[in-house]
Amino acid sequence: MNFASDNTGPVHPNVMAALIAANTGYALPYGGDDLTAQTIQNIRDLFEAPDAAVFLVSLGTAANSLILATLSQPWETVFCHTVAHIHEDECNAPEFYSGGTKLTLVPGPEAKMTAENLRRSILAEETRGVHGPQRGPVSLTQATERGTIYSLKEIQEISATAEEFGLPVHMDGARFANAVQSLGCSAAEMTWKSGVDAVTFGGTKNGLMAVEAVIFFNPKHAWEFELRRKRGAHLFSKHRFLAAQMQSYLAGDLWLDMAKKSNDASARLIQGLKQIPEVQIDFEPQANIIFAQWARAAHQRLHAAGAQYYVMAGDHTTGPSNELLPARLVTDWSTTPKNVDKFLDILRG
């Protein structure tokens, strides 16, 4: 009953097999190997973007931060939601890698910025001449940190607003596969066809060991990103082991299969939670993350039974037994119906 994070889940056996297969003989380092070249082509094919500049890094933090550094100048600001991952969970890495670019937080319901709020935030900048920050990239977290998803229409409206001001759009796709599977669209439709300029195509949270793809749909950014990746200490020497993971991820649409299993487990969990009167749902989940509240006594039962998840506020060990405490539950590709049902049974008491 581990619902702590999709980061806690195992690596898919196909990925482990691909790593073992790659561990034979010799190959050129730093991405000069044939496996990397083929993987890059596979990603271009997936995104229907034959001219895209594609790179592999091991961490989502590196992918997001290096993309934003490439798309911005140190005197600019990045527009993102108030609970965007780059704001809440990157330890100021975007600001660090960009040499000082700040973040401007854009509000919006369900953890999503709106085009209207973005326009308002953009207009509020560049009002103090040389004394204030200049307008920079727009960054979307898809799926969001609260388990919601931007629709294609919402992405298009935000991208159109950014384009009016000549600003590029970045998508933090750490849970990209979960969003695509939920929307039933293609990778291209959720990115460049909706106005996105660069994307972090995540894999680590969806059954890979440690690899994320960086994709610029305009290849003019390629050389600068290469330099920033090297300078930022994120150019792997034995690069084929990144490529092996990503290639197996794409083979036979494994990335979508794992995302479907993760999303289906979440749907089963949320269906059960909604049938328990004492449970309060904070956000309507659309991917594999659930935020809900229930009584401290139920938290105590679950933890005593070995359930793993985050209690987001308060101490579940002491206090009134009927006090509601918020929790975050995250499913992954290996979450089983048996563990979901067991969790629900204990929660019901």
Side-chain angles (χ1 to χ4, degrees):
M1 294 185 295
N2 195 314
F3 302 100
S5 172
D6 37 15
N7 286 315
T8 66
V11 175
H12 194 278
N14 289 10
V15 178
M16 296 300 292
L19 285 166
I20 293 171
N23 193 35
T24 302
Y26 296 83
L28 290 173
Y30 304 114
D33 58 284
D34 292 340
L35 188 57
T36 294
Q38 184 59 57
T39 300
I40 288 173
Q41 186 57 52
N42 291 345
I43 292 172
R44 287 173 176 156
D45 292 343
L46 173 67
F47 281 85
E48 305 170 41
D51 297 323
V54 179
F55 307 94
L56 302 180
V57 296
S58 62
L59 304 172
T61 297
N64 290 331
S65 301
L66 291 169
I67 288 175
L68 290 172
T70 303
L71 295 178
S72 65
Q73 296 292 337
W75 47 85
E76 293 178 341
T77 186
V78 175
F79 298 94
C80 64
H81 194 271
T82 54
V83 296
H85 189 82
I86 62 170
H87 170 58
E88 288 196 328
D89 293 294
E90 304 283 34
C91 194
N92 293 6
E95 295 93 325
F96 173 79
Y97 277 94
S98 65
T101 300
K102 66 172 289 186
L103 304 181
T104 293
L105 306 183
V106 182
E110 302 296 314
K112 299 185 289 185
M113 73 169 72
T114 63
E116 180 182 357
N117 286 344
L118 175 61
R119 177 184 297 278
R120 188 177 297 115
S121 295
I122 291 173
L123 291 173
E125 299 295 356
E126 292 194 11
T127 60
R128 293 181 54 76
V130 73
H131 303 289
Q134 305 301 293
R135 298 162 181 162
V138 175
S139 180
L140 305 176
T141 309
Q142 178 78 328
T144 74
E145 290 298 287
R146 299 298 182 264
T148 55
I149 293 176
Y150 287 94
S151 68
L152 296 186
K153 182 174 184 290
E154 288 171 327
I155 297 170
Q156 291 160 7
E157 290 173 345
I158 289 168
S159 296
T161 300
E163 186 178 14
E164 286 181 38
F165 295 90
L167 307 179
V169 178
H170 158 250
M171 178 176 286
D172 172 1
R175 295 184 174 93
F176 187 95
N178 298 93
V180 165
Q181 198 280 325
S182 180
L183 290 175
C185 65
S186 70
E189 288 170 335
M190 202 172 78
T191 53
W192 66 269
K193 289 185 178 182
S194 292
V196 173
D197 297 284
V199 61
T200 296
F201 178 48
T204 307
K205 295 181 187 297
N206 192 36
L208 299 189
M209 181 177 288
V211 66
E212 319 280 311
V214 167
I215 304 162
F216 290 97
F217 297 107
N218 188 333
K220 72 178 183 179
H221 299 293
W223 180 236
E224 180 178 347
F225 185 87
E226 285 201 56
L227 294 172
R228 288 186 177 277
R229 179 176 59 166
K230 175 63 176 180
R231 180 176 178 269
H234 283 285
L235 176 58
F236 262 48
S237 173
K238 295 187 177 181
H239 201 277
R240 57 175 155 161
F241 296 103
L242 296 181
Q245 295 175 67
M246 186 58 70
Q247 190 175 65
S248 66
Y249 191 53
L250 301 179
D253 285 338
L254 178 63
W255 67 288
L256 283 176
D257 179 62
M258 287 192 288
K260 185 177 188 304
K261 289 178 179 177
S262 177
N263 287 355
D264 287 351
S266 180
R268 185 183 186 97
L269 183 55
I270 192 65
Q271 182 180 21
L273 291 172
K274 286 181 176 180
Q275 294 173 359
I276 304 174
E278 296 80 12
V279 173
Q280 174 181 309
I281 307 299
D282 294 334
F283 298 90
E284 186 60 36
Q286 297 171 282
N288 65 321
I289 311 174
I290 298 170
F291 284 81
Q293 301 184 42
W294 55 81
R296 177 178 279 107
H299 283 289
Q300 291 171 344
R301 287 197 305 272
L302 286 162
H303 280 87
Q308 300 291 318
Y309 61 92
Y310 283 108
V311 178
M312 303 303 292
D315 180 1
H316 75 275
T317 61
T318 59
S321 62
N322 61 347
E323 181 182 0
L324 295 181
L325 299 179
R328 188 194 75 167
L329 307 170
V330 186
T331 56
D332 77 300
W333 71 271
S334 67
T335 303
T336 64
K338 178 180 178 180
N339 280 335
V340 169
D341 294 344
K342 181 179 179 182
F343 183 94
L344 292 169
D345 287 341
I346 296 171
L347 178 55
R348 293 187 190 98

